[in-house]
Amino acid sequence: AQTVTQSQPEMSVQEAETVTLSCTYDTSESDYYLFWYKQPPSRQMILVIRQEAYKQQNATENRFSVNFQKAAKSFSLKISDSQLGDAAMYFCAYNYGQNFVFGPGTRLSVLP
Amino acid sequence: DADVTQTPRNRITKTGKRIMLECSQTKGHDRMYWYRQDPGLGLRLIYYSFDVKDINKGEISDGYSVSRQAQAKFSLSLESAIPNQTALYFCATSDLLSTDTQYFGPGTRLTVL
């Protein structure tokens, strides 16, 4: 069965600095999708970034970028120029077909 | 207006009561999902539906049932609620042509006393 691991339950970053959240996953598939979702205190799940496994180029969305290492089954999220509004739970997720698996989450605090 | 809505947003109930959580969407998506979120466990899939006549069990379906009343509506029922069903419940949708991305409702906080 596929699993998603986020080894950092909590992290903190100074405002305007850069932080990297880690995610590893286990799969025997070669063509799948990976996601980072953000959950602020409002509870809403917000899609941050999406990566297609068959694309070698790392996805980027404004201040958010990923480091996708397919062979290592690693998918980390880098947040640049951190803002107070980035404070939230961040979930890494894997999808193959209708199999959606989420990691346990990393709580990110942003310090002013 | 939100694309995916859930009612109620918060609910407190007692052990043994029947509870229904409702989800509606205006995105026109075929596929709908129910998840529960527990601290330290992320989101786990309860049930999913590809269309009105298709219902599938997810990872943790025991103690739950669902009904897909229309393309836009997908309800989750707890026939006899128990305290360990206290959790945050999310509905999500995805498009048949883009099934890799899911769009979530705002969640329902359910407490079973």
Side-chain angles (χ1 to χ4, degrees):
Chain A
Q2 290 84 2
T3 58
V4 176
T5 301
Q6 294 177 249
S7 59
Q8 307 150 316
E10 296 183 353
M11 291 194 72
S12 62
V13 62
Q14 208 72 35
E15 195 175 5
E17 296 295 312
T18 296
V19 64
T20 299
L21 309 184
S22 300
C23 172
T24 59
Y25 57 95
D26 183 29
T27 184
S28 58
E29 306 295 340
S30 59
D31 190 11
Y32 48 87
Y33 299 88
L34 296 164
F35 305 86
W36 279 97
Y37 280 90
K38 171 185 178 181
Q39 186 181 44
S42 66
R43 304 187 323 210
Q44 182 72 48
M45 293 287 287
I46 302 166
L47 178 65
V48 174
I49 202 163
R50 169 183 175 271
Q51 174 78 43
E52 299 163 356
Y54 63 86
K55 290 186 177 180
Q56 294 194 356
Q57 185 175 5
N58 290 325
T60 299
E61 288 289 344
N62 300 315
R63 297 182 294 107
F64 299 87
S65 62
V66 297
N67 183 5
F68 174 48
Q69 302 289 328
K70 191 172 184 179
K73 298 179 183 176
S74 171
F75 184 60
S76 60
L77 175 70
K78 185 172 81 170
I79 306 174
S80 303
D81 186 24
S82 297
Q83 301 175 359
L84 295 177
D86 295 333
M89 282 290 288
Y90 286 83
F91 293 97
C92 178
Y94 160 96
N95 170 240
Y96 174 76
Q98 288 308 305
N99 188 16
F100 247 88
V101 181
F102 286 81
T106 295
R107 183 174 300 282
L108 177 67
S109 300
V110 180
L111 308 174
Chain B
D1 288 341
D3 295 321
V4 184
T5 58
Q6 292 182 233
T7 56
R9 293 294 310 277
N10 298 280
R11 181 72 184 268
I12 300 173
T13 190
K14 294 182 179 179
T15 297
K17 294 292 186 181
R18 184 178 188 274
I19 294 296
M20 178 180 286
L21 308 183
E22 299 185 335
C23 176
S24 296
Q25 53 115 347
T26 59
K27 297 184 78 66
H29 289 172
D30 294 311
R31 304 185 174 199
M32 299 186 73
Y33 310 78
W34 276 105
Y35 291 89
R36 67 176 277 175
Q37 181 183 359
D38 298 279
L41 296 178
L43 278 72
R44 292 180 292 165
L45 184 62
I46 305 172
Y47 271 95
Y48 60 101
S49 170
F50 289 176
D51 62 39
V52 175
K53 297 181 180 179
D54 180 83
I55 302 290
N56 303 280
K57 292 182 177 181
E59 177 187 355
I60 53 164
S61 59
D62 287 349
Y64 301 95
S65 62
V66 292
S67 173
R68 185 81 183 266
Q69 301 94 326
Q71 186 205 33
K73 295 184 182 295
F74 192 37
S75 300
L76 176 72
S77 294
L78 288 66
E79 296 301 325
S80 179
I82 57 177
N84 75 2
Q85 291 177 314
T86 293
L88 185 56
Y89 290 84
F90 283 100
C91 174
T93 73
S94 66
D95 181 23
L96 175 63
L97 299 179
S98 180
T99 56
D100 55 282
T101 300
Q102 297 195 337
Y103 299 89
F104 287 83
T108 295
R109 170 77 65 188
L110 176 65
T111 302
V112 183
L113 302 176

